[in-house]
């Protein structure tokens, strides 16, 4: 690769910590007449103020960064959040370990080029930045965003399944984790399924999978316009079952930390990255939880077979209808079902009459097997026991896929 893909002249601003790196960048880009490159030498933390606006006018910014210098990382974060919000940034660094790469990708960096800088690596990084800009340039940067409630939800890309609790303690997180694992087991490619824990106050998906959360969903939501599939890919953690996890923070965060606009961007990034996304929601209703449910293709309403839980489930269904979300398919899932319920007991029939939805998905109570899986950080599909529970979860997944197909068929016919 010796030429840029586009014949249009490209303006590049390179901020380098040393003359040696500046010389390497100039040498790498020099033979290409389609590139106009200006360089400035000095640590970013010291030169940021002087170069911020000039670099913002460029088509691309290259930054030579010391990943061990917190001041430089903070300076880059401020620039990307401010004057460089709409400019692709490529970072070059001498030491690019996994932790450093994660830190950079969370900032929304287009690509990272190792040092010493070579022409092939730098042109590849520039092309990656151009491709990313092309993906995000369909909406002009100065166009104000309409409130999420005033926009039709985007239905492109992968399937989105929202898990809604009929009150606390019903085991909705257990269901979310194992449904995601079941989807991952069915996937025909690696890393095709994402599990997103948006219960930002008491989320435990990471604990269920024995995965300490490194980058939480709250941190990703704070990225603003920088949030896309590339950033999401860098933030998630991969579990041996095949699913990717974007976990909740390990401390209580106010629910208003999220906004409908940020959640809608996250949902779009999930659809771009994964074939299926399972989102575990908090019990509380907010503007942004409504946005998640609006974006969902299918809602799993998880409950237990008790009078209080059935009343809570009825309230959730009433709220869905009141919020104009009654067209989204809702699948009722009864978790921790006692053996006697599998004969379609009078209680199940009464609950169906109260709720107005069928309750054909009853996940049997198997505390011993489920607890053993949680203690080992395993899903039910890795554990040897809990075969009836696995079968019930697989049936839920089949129902989700069938509901999604019916919705797609109806939309095509309409």
């Amino acid at each position: 690769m010796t030429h840029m893909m586009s014949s249009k002249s490209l303006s590049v601003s390179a901020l380098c910590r040393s003359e040696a790196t500046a010389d390497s960048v100039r040498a790498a880009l020099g033979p290409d007449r389609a590139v106009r490159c200006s360089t400035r030498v000095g640590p970013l933390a010291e030169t940021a103020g002087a170069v911020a606006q000039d670099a913002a006018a460029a088509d691309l910014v290259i930054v030579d960064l010391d990943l061990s210098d917190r001041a430089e990382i903070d300076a880059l974060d401020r620039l990307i959040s401010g004057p460089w919000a709409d400019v692709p940034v490529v970072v070059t660094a001498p030491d690019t370990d996994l932790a450093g790469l994660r830190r950079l990708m969370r900032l929304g960096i287009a690509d990272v080029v190792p040092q010493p800088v070579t022409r092939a690596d730098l042109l590849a990084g520039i092309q990656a930045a151009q491709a990313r800009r092309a993906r995000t340039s369909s909406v002009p940067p100065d166009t104000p965003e309409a409130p999420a409630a005033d926009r039709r939800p985007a239905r492109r890309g992968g399937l989105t399944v929202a898990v809604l609790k009929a009150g606390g303690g019903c085991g909705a997180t257990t269901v979310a984790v194992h449904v995601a694992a079941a989807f991952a087991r069915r996937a025909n490619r690696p890393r095709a399924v994402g599990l997103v824990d948006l219960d930002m106050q008491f989320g435990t998906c990471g604990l269920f999978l024995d995965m300490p959360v490194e980058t939480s969903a709250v941190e990703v939501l704070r990225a603003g316009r920088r949030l896309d599939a590339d950033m999401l890919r860098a933030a998630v953690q991969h579990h041996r079952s095949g699913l990717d996890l974007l976990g909740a923070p390990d401390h209580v965060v106010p629910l208003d930390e999220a906004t409908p606009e940020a959640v809608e961007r996250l949902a779009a990034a999930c659809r771009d990255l994964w074939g299926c996304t399972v989102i575990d929601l908090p019990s509380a209703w907010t503007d942004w939880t409504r946005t998640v449910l609006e974006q969902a293709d299918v809602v799993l309403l998880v409950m237990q077979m008790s009078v209080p839980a059935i009343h809570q489930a009825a309230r959730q269904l009433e709220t869905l209808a009141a919020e104009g979300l009654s067209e989204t398919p809702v699948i009722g899932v009864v978790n921790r079902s006692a053996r006697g319920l599998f004969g379609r007991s009078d209680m199940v029939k009464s609950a169906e009459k109260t709720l107005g939805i069928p309750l054909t998905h009853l996940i049997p109570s198997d505390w011993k097997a489920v607890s053993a899986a949680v203690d080992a950080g395993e899903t039910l599909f890795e554990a040897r026991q809990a075969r009836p529970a696995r079968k019930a979860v697989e049936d839920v997944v089949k129902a989700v896929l069938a509901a999604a197909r019916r919705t797609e068929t109806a939309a095509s016919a309409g």
Side-chain angles (χ1 to χ4, degrees):
M1 179 172 56
T2 57
H3 299 283
M4 298 302 297
M5 296 298 291
S6 173
S7 59
K8 180 183 176 181
S9 178
L10 186 73
S11 171
V12 176
S13 178
L15 312 178
C16 302
R17 299 178 67 253
S18 68
E19 284 289 355
T21 304
D23 289 341
S24 297
V25 171
R26 285 190 287 262
L29 298 180
D32 205 316
R33 295 181 180 179
V35 179
R36 294 179 289 105
C37 180
S38 63
T39 58
R40 186 175 184 119
V41 176
L44 181 65
E46 299 176 10
T47 60
V51 302
Q53 296 304 324
D54 289 342
D59 296 313
L60 176 82
V61 177
I62 298 171
V63 179
D64 177 15
L65 206 64
D66 180 359
L67 295 181
S68 65
D69 189 336
R70 187 71 234 182
E72 291 207 355
I73 298 290
D74 290 343
L76 182 60
D77 190 11
R78 288 192 297 272
L79 289 167
I80 291 176
S81 301
W84 296 358
D86 300 310
V87 183
V89 177
V90 173
V91 165
T92 178
D95 299 308
T96 52
D97 58 10
L98 181 59
L101 287 174
R102 283 186 177 275
R103 194 178 306 124
L104 291 174
M105 297 308 288
R106 288 199 294 269
L107 295 180
I109 300 302
D111 204 3
V112 179
V113 175
Q115 293 183 11
V117 176
T118 67
R119 176 170 170 77
D121 287 342
L122 191 56
L123 291 186
I126 291 174
Q127 287 187 334
Q130 288 179 305
R132 181 169 182 169
R133 187 171 196 175
R135 290 196 300 270
T136 58
S137 62
S138 58
V139 178
D142 295 329
T143 301
E145 295 190 45
D150 295 337
R151 293 195 299 269
R152 293 175 62 91
R155 296 291 185 183
R156 73 181 194 281
L159 177 72
T160 301
V161 181
V163 179
L164 189 60
K165 302 173 174 68
C170 64
T173 295
T174 304
V175 172
V177 168
H178 298 307
V179 165
F183 271 110
R185 190 166 178 262
R186 296 170 63 98
N188 56 10
R189 64 179 175 86
R191 309 195 72 164
V193 176
L195 173 63
V196 178
D197 193 346
L198 289 185
D199 189 350
M200 57 182 62
Q201 294 188 325
F202 303 106
T204 54
C205 288
L207 291 176
F208 272 66
L209 296 170
D210 193 25
M211 296 177 70
V213 175
E214 297 175 6
T215 302
S216 75
V218 173
E219 293 174 86
V220 171
L221 288 168
R222 289 171 179 162
R225 288 185 180 273
R226 291 175 285 154
L227 174 52
D228 61 9
D230 293 327
M231 172 181 283
L232 184 60
R233 183 183 293 108
V236 300
Q237 297 161 265
H238 189 63
H239 188 260
R240 59 181 175 272
S241 64
L243 63 84
D244 287 338
L245 171 69
L246 181 63
D250 59 4
H251 56 280
V252 173
V253 174
L255 290 176
D256 59 8
E257 277 285 323
T259 65
E261 293 76 23
V263 166
E264 189 168 10
R265 280 191 291 268
L266 175 60
C270 290
R271 287 181 180 272
D272 289 341
L273 180 58
W274 296 308
C276 174
T277 304
V278 178
I279 302 178
D280 193 17
L281 287 170
S283 298
W285 274 79
T286 68
D287 287 345
W288 63 263
T289 58
R290 183 197 183 282
T291 299
V292 173
L293 292 163
E294 183 183 43
Q295 292 288 321
D297 298 290
V298 179
V299 175
L300 296 182
L301 178 58
V302 182
M303 67 197 81
Q304 291 192 47
M305 193 50 59
S306 68
V307 172
I310 297 305
H311 279 285
Q312 291 280 19
R315 290 176 65 182
Q316 293 285 36
L317 291 169
E318 290 167 2
T319 306
L320 285 168
E323 292 292 328
L325 301 173
S326 55
E327 292 186 5
T328 303
V330 177
I331 297 174
V333 179
V334 179
N335 193 30
R336 301 171 184 158
S337 294
R339 283 187 183 275
L341 295 181
F342 288 86
R344 309 293 297 155
S345 72
D346 290 341
M347 189 170 188
V348 173
K349 295 175 183 177
S350 176
E352 289 178 328
K353 185 176 181 179
T354 298
L355 298 176
I357 61 173
L359 296 177
T360 56
H361 298 286
L362 284 69
I363 299 178
S365 179
D366 193 341
W367 181 88
K368 183 177 179 180
V370 172
S371 296
V374 172
D375 290 343
E378 295 179 338
T379 69
L380 292 178
F381 297 91
E382 300 166 273
R384 294 182 180 180
Q385 300 175 336
R387 183 174 299 175
R390 281 201 305 272
K391 174 65 167 57
V393 170
E394 288 172 340
D395 289 344
V396 171
V397 168
K398 292 175 184 176
V400 168
L401 293 171
R405 283 194 294 269
R406 287 194 296 270
T407 299
E408 186 176 352
T409 300
S412 299

